[in-house]
Amino acid sequence: MEVNMPTNYWIAQYVSDPFRREPRNVGVFVEHDGAIGARFLAVDGDQVDGRKLRGRVEYLDVYKQWIAFWSEEMKHGSLTEILESSGPHYRVVEGGVVDDVGAGEMPDVVDYLYTLLVTERAAREPLGVQAEDDMTSQSSLAQEVVDVSPIVPC
């Protein structure tokens, strides 16, 4: 991955109650130099593990449909349809730009942003709480990413 090029990312969110507007992050999309990568909650390969979604997503079948749609659209090499297709319960919002990814490759950046923005670990870290599985899986990219800046409209 070319170090000097900015890497853009977007956050896939699930909103169980559109009136309350309390989104829950369920995935990330990353674009760098025309390449697109993504990672979603409870998805391994092309399988969705419903057990990992308990208490986080209400309708498993609808979640699977969104994952299938997002995955299919990514094959076209563009996020345009994904960004334009947001609905009241599932949406993709602009996340920001990673200005320096060090020597990280696309999967490393996707995994880092997924861990930072989606996993339970992201919610525990500020509190100083670490799960056992988190202690053994430290991302080397965490030390390499220098600046993750949110995009702020002017």
Side-chain angles (χ1 to χ4, degrees):
M1 186 177 278
E2 193 173 318
V3 177
N4 295 331
M5 296 208 48
T7 301
N8 299 303
Y9 68 95
W10 294 263
I11 305 166
Q13 296 180 326
Y14 166 68
V15 182
S16 63
D17 184 348
F19 294 109
R20 292 183 63 127
R21 297 183 186 164
E22 296 173 337
R24 182 171 282 167
N25 296 348
V26 294
V28 294
F29 294 93
V30 177
E31 186 275 329
H32 180 83
D33 197 23
I36 299 171
R39 185 169 172 193
F40 306 106
L41 182 65
V43 176
D44 185 15
D46 61 350
Q47 299 295 314
V48 177
D49 186 349
R51 297 170 296 177
K52 294 180 180 178
L53 293 172
R54 287 189 190 128
R56 297 182 97 185
V57 174
E58 288 182 48
Y59 301 102
L60 178 60
D61 290 340
V62 176
Y63 181 72
K64 286 180 178 181
Q65 289 174 358
W66 276 101
I67 297 299
F69 170 73
W70 289 333
S71 299
E72 188 62 32
E73 287 302 316
M74 284 181 19
K75 291 177 185 175
H76 300 298
S78 172
L79 292 174
T80 304
E81 286 293 320
I82 292 171
L83 298 174
E84 292 175 354
S85 67
S86 293
H89 292 285
Y90 285 91
R91 63 187 184 194
V92 177
V93 297
E94 203 165 24
V97 176
V98 179
D99 291 319
D100 187 356
V101 295
E105 297 295 323
M106 175 70 82
D108 298 326
V109 176
V110 170
D111 287 345
Y112 175 74
L113 289 170
Y114 176 85
T115 300
L116 185 68
L117 300 168
V118 178
T119 66
E120 291 294 323
R121 175 181 177 184
R124 290 190 306 265
E125 276 186 351
L127 302 174
V129 178
Q130 217 173 11
E132 285 182 38
D133 60 330
D134 292 339
M135 290 182 218
T136 58
S137 62
Q138 299 295 323
S139 171
S140 63
L141 186 63
Q143 290 86 28
E144 294 182 32
V145 172
V146 175
D147 184 23
V148 177
S149 307
I151 295 175
V152 180
C154 297

